[in-house]
Amino acid sequence: MTGPEPETLTSSGDRSFFSASRRNWLVTWGTRGALFLGALCLAWGLWRILDADSKLLDSPLPCYLAASATALVFVAASLSSGLALLRRLMPGRLRWEERLSIGFAVGVMAFHAGVFTLGLVGALNRVGALLLAALLLLFGAKNALRTLRLLRQATRGRAKAVRLHPVVLGIGALLVAYLVGHALTTDSIGYDASWYHLPVAEAYAASGSIRPFREGWTLGTQPQMASQLYAWAMVVTPQPAVNFTSAAFVELSFIAAAILGIVPLTRVLLGGRGRVHWAWA
């Protein structure tokens, strides 16, 4: 006769070290620990960057709230006018995420045309900039409210059916925090922006108009969209350093729209194919 087999760590039963309940516990707390460490590393990195820019960031918190509000006004005006124009240009049926992505792009073009017009007539100041945003908001307000109601109905059922894993939510929150925090620093200013986008925008904002440069600067002969939209943000928040933050937040909205629009626009280009989430790869 043979005796009972010795118990091992991998044997089944409640005494197993790697039981299903213990594995779930390890995965849950391991994930939380990893996210906590990631948050600490992110906070430390941002503190190092912000500490290096301490002189730039001496402005009070209300100024940065004003910069955030400026970017939100830009996004709202672009979406409102873009959705209204898209309804006339493409009356066909589109998914709500496709309509939002294309509508924002169309609205930015309309916003750019308005800023350029203000610059040509010499009305690129705070009053003219805010009036332009208000007109674009009112132009598409009715259609925007209708789209938001449909969006809320469409996402309500989907939110109940699709629940994101805490890891996905945590990583997404960390990345958003990094992007927003990085936009508050001078490290977010790229080579092209420091060379001509921001200097040209400062000249437009200071003069309140879009005119050729008398010294014959070549880049001044072709006003680019980025410079004109930065100039709009600068005249809305003219405080030193905060005007750069407003311009950075406006550019941050472009980045967010580009990331969120990858899948919807890919679906449109492929003729409405259902699952194209691989496009984010």
Side-chain angles (χ1 to χ4, degrees):
M1 296 180 63
T2 60
E5 295 182 358
E7 293 184 356
T8 62
L9 291 178
T10 57
S11 61
S12 61
D14 294 336
R15 296 181 180 180
S16 173
F17 182 79
F18 292 104
S19 62
S21 60
R22 186 158 297 184
R23 283 199 303 270
N24 292 336
W25 182 87
L26 289 174
V27 170
T28 300
W29 283 100
T31 301
R32 293 176 180 177
L35 290 176
F36 179 73
L37 291 176
L40 289 179
C41 293
L42 176 65
W44 179 80
L46 287 178
W47 177 82
R48 291 290 301 273
I49 296 175
L50 295 175
D51 183 63
D53 283 344
S54 57
K55 294 182 180 180
L56 177 65
L57 301 173
D58 283 341
S59 300
L61 180 61
C63 292
Y64 290 98
L65 294 179
S68 302
T70 300
L72 289 177
V73 168
F74 167 75
V75 172
S78 298
L79 268 178
S80 179
S81 58
L83 290 173
L85 291 172
L86 185 64
R87 186 175 179 83
R88 292 167 173 80
L89 296 174
M90 299 178 63
R93 184 176 181 83
L94 292 173
R95 296 172 181 260
W96 63 266
E97 60 267 29
E98 297 167 357
R99 189 166 294 277
L100 286 177
S101 299
I102 301 176
F104 180 73
V106 174
V108 169
M109 296 294 294
F111 202 104
H112 168 232
V115 173
F116 185 63
T117 303
L118 289 178
L120 291 180
V121 300
L124 189 56
N125 49 49
R126 177 180 284 185
V127 175
L130 293 177
L131 183 61
L132 171 65
L135 291 176
L136 292 177
L137 276 170
L138 292 176
F139 173 72
K142 183 178 180 180
N143 187 70
L145 292 176
R146 176 179 175 273
T147 303
L148 289 177
R149 284 196 297 267
L150 295 175
L151 174 61
R152 184 169 56 183
Q153 295 174 2
T155 55
R156 186 177 300 171
R158 183 176 296 185
K160 295 179 180 179
V162 179
R163 294 183 178 180
L164 295 177
H165 195 278
V167 175
V168 177
L169 291 175
I171 293 176
L174 290 177
L175 291 177
V176 170
Y178 176 79
L179 288 174
V180 175
H182 188 260
L184 289 170
T185 70
T186 53
D187 283 351
S188 64
I189 301 176
Y191 177 77
D192 287 349
S194 62
W195 178 27
Y196 60 91
H197 283 311
L198 289 174
V200 170
E202 284 185 294
Y204 292 160
S207 63
S209 62
I210 296 178
R211 297 286 189 272
F213 290 89
R214 293 183 177 180
E215 62 272 18
W217 192 15
T218 305
L219 294 172
T221 63
Q222 44 182 3
Q224 299 189 15
M225 177 189 291
S227 297
Q228 295 176 53
L229 295 180
Y230 293 164
W232 176 87
M234 289 178 178
V235 298
V236 174
T237 53
Q239 298 88 343
V242 182
N243 51 7
F244 287 137
T245 304
S246 297
F249 279 10
V250 168
E251 185 175 9
L252 189 63
S253 68
F254 296 154
I255 298 175
I259 294 174
L260 296 176
I262 290 175
V263 170
L265 295 180
T266 303
R267 186 187 294 117
V268 172
L269 293 175
L270 293 181
R273 183 179 298 178
R275 293 183 175 274
V276 292
H277 293 87
W278 47 263
W280 264 328

